[in-house]
Amino acid sequence: MNRKYIFLFLVMALMTLIAGYAAYQWGMQQEMDMSSSSSESMAGNAKTTEDPSSWGIAEGEKATRRHIDAGIKAGDIDPVTGQKILFYQDPMVPGNKFETPGKSPYMDMMLVPVYKGSAGGESATDEPGVSINSRLQQNIGIRTALVTKQDIATQVTAVGAIAWNEREEVNVQARALGYVEKLFVKATLEQVNKGQPLLAIYVPDWVAVQEEFLALNNMQGEGLDELIAASIARMRQVGMSEAQIRQVKSTGRLQTQLIITAPIDGVITELVAREGMTISTGSTLMRINGLDPVWANAEVPESQIALLNPGDPITASSPAFPGKQFKGQIQRLLPEVNPITRTLKARVVLDNPQGELAPGMFVNMQLAGKQINDALMVPTEALIRTGKRTLIMLALDNGSFRPVEVITGRVTDDKTQIQQGLQEGERVVVSGQFLVDSEASLRGVEARLSDDNTSKVDDHSMSEMTMETHQTEAQIEAINGQILTLTHPDIPSLEWPGMTMDFELSSSFNPDELTVGEQIEIAFRLEKGAAPLIVELQPRSADLEMVMESHQTQAKIEAIDGQILTLTHPDIPSLNWPGMTMDFELSSSLDPDGLKVGEQIAIEFRLEKGSAPKIIDLQPLSAETEMEGAK
């Protein structure tokens, strides 16, 4: 009986275990199905929310081909990204925008789409910019700073030399024929005080008129006053001063020696008179120059001249008198620039009551310039100078960045004034901005001046550009209706390198009259959103066809002057040229910075009408190739 119960108990326990295991397996299967379904759902969502900001050019071209097949254009929503397509552009020439997908009119490649909210597209506020996630910003060390307003007290620092004040110069001259009997000052650069005797002279004519005056003055009788007055007038006429005449009248004696005194305080800068020498009327005896005030010629950089005005106060110091300052003001900005130092002289008048400053001394001057109130200031390190313009990377509220072209003003300490392009309170990038600018260039985000009239100016500039015509020579590679595929050389007016691209024929031209391989001359203008339009076309002469033909040679670099290379080359049989040294011009697509004088190179060039032959390809020669060329 007990065995029967035990057996039943074991059977029930076994069935319970089997049921529990089955339930466990069913639960695991359900969980796996749910995970698989969730993964598929997430994959589907990821597929529909693909971020185009991570695309390269290849992915962009692939998307454009997909849009062509699906009939999608600008303004539509891309089903793969779920984002609105703003426009299409050539990533190598990002200036123009196109409404429909297709092949680039500039390069042998497809256009790529630009989406709203993506890098290079528009944000939620319709501002173009470059989006960089916060982690990457931290990794590349992006820092920002606010645009602030502050007053700028501009100050110009200059050095200069003390000079004689020419307005304090006095000439001591002889007023009559005579002789120098005694000289009290016998060397130049001696200091004299006003009224100090300088020299004693004997003038025969003065003695005669004095004798006449004394004789009349000692006579008694009526009617002598008029004679005495006439005698005094004759003393004045022969050159005697009022002080000398008073001396004769007061003493009543003949003054055979007349003393000439210093008219001002100063220094004898020129001494001509010597004891015993004969002096003639009008001859210079000596020159005296005052020392209070003195002149200082400040050397001011020409870029800072606009900060200064005549009458501005200045403070000067000299190493000869440490701690002492001399006050003065700018008298005049002299109209002459030193061609070597590019400085302009500012004539400064300095007070020198003690006569401490002497001509030739160097002084350091602080010239107070104009003060600018409420100037917009940014850290100087935020500026990106390209040579043609100055850019700043502006940090937008949505976390993206866009380049802004600015016009700079004064520089003070570590900040620079912004005259146009920014507003107070905006935030600019001060570290890592070159990486952001490179990304913006690749994405085709254009820099612009941040003002309300920007879009109007850009539209006007674009309309002017489309009306301007450009000329080039070209070879026809293909004809497809009114579309010509042409190979053209560099076009300097557009800064285009030589390339193969599509042009559209004007309706006045018949493409049936053209043949593939034909050399032509064209005049064209750029069309917004379309291929360049050919408005003039004519076949080229045989001479011009020869210009397009390229030739190859090896050469040695003798000199480098910008894009001009002076090369020594061997005979060139294709042109019947003997070996010689001559100038070649580098194509704009080639950089001369990597070249050096004496280097052996292999070049491909073509003749240019009216200019030096143009190098269109260049390769350095290896040592083995150089040896073979030498053989």
Side-chain angles (χ1 to χ4, degrees), residues 33-190:
D33 292 344
M34 291 178 64
S35 299
S36 176
S37 175
S38 176
S39 299
E40 291 177 0
S41 176
M42 292 176 64
N45 291 337
K47 184 177 180 181
T48 58
T49 58
E50 185 175 346
D51 185 8
S53 63
S54 61
W55 288 356
I57 294 178
E59 290 82 359
E61 289 186 309
K62 181 178 178 182
T64 300
R65 292 187 178 93
R66 178 167 48 80
H67 295 173
I68 294 174
D69 296 337
I72 298 174
K73 61 182 184 304
D76 296 340
I77 303 296
D78 188 340
V80 173
T81 64
Q83 297 182 15
K84 181 181 178 181
I85 303 169
L86 294 176
F87 53 85
Y88 294 85
Q89 67 177 9
D90 186 331
M92 307 304 294
V93 188
N96 292 330
K97 302 175 182 180
F98 301 89
E99 297 296 324
T100 58
K103 188 176 179 182
S104 168
Y106 309 112
M107 300 289 180
D108 188 17
M109 60 186 298
M110 300 296 291
L111 300 172
V112 297
V114 176
Y115 296 90
K116 184 173 183 178
S118 65
E122 296 180 6
S123 64
T125 57
D126 290 339
E127 290 182 289
V130 175
S131 297
I132 301 178
N133 63 59
S134 57
R135 179 177 296 180
L136 184 57
Q137 291 184 32
Q138 185 175 4
N139 291 340
I140 65 178
I142 290 181
R143 293 185 294 108
T144 61
L146 282 174
V147 181
T148 59
K149 279 188 177 181
Q150 69 179 59
D151 297 338
I152 305 176
T154 56
Q155 193 174 59
V156 179
T157 302
V159 296
I162 301 298
W164 295 109
N165 186 345
E166 296 179 9
R167 297 188 179 184
E168 293 292 321
E169 184 181 82
V170 175
N171 284 345
V172 179
Q173 293 182 320
R175 298 187 177 183
L177 180 65
Y179 309 95
V180 178
E181 291 195 339
K182 187 171 182 59
L183 195 63
F184 299 104
V185 179
K186 298 185 178 182
T188 58
L189 298 182
E190 288 191 18

Side-chain angles (χ1 to χ4, degrees), residues 232-244:
I232 293 173
R234 280 194 291 275
M235 284 193 289
R236 291 193 184 98
Q237 187 176 7
V238 296
M240 293 181 64
S241 66
E242 293 297 330
Q244 293 165 341

Side-chain angles (χ1 to χ4, degrees), residues 93 510 512:
V93 188
N510 184 4
D512 295 338

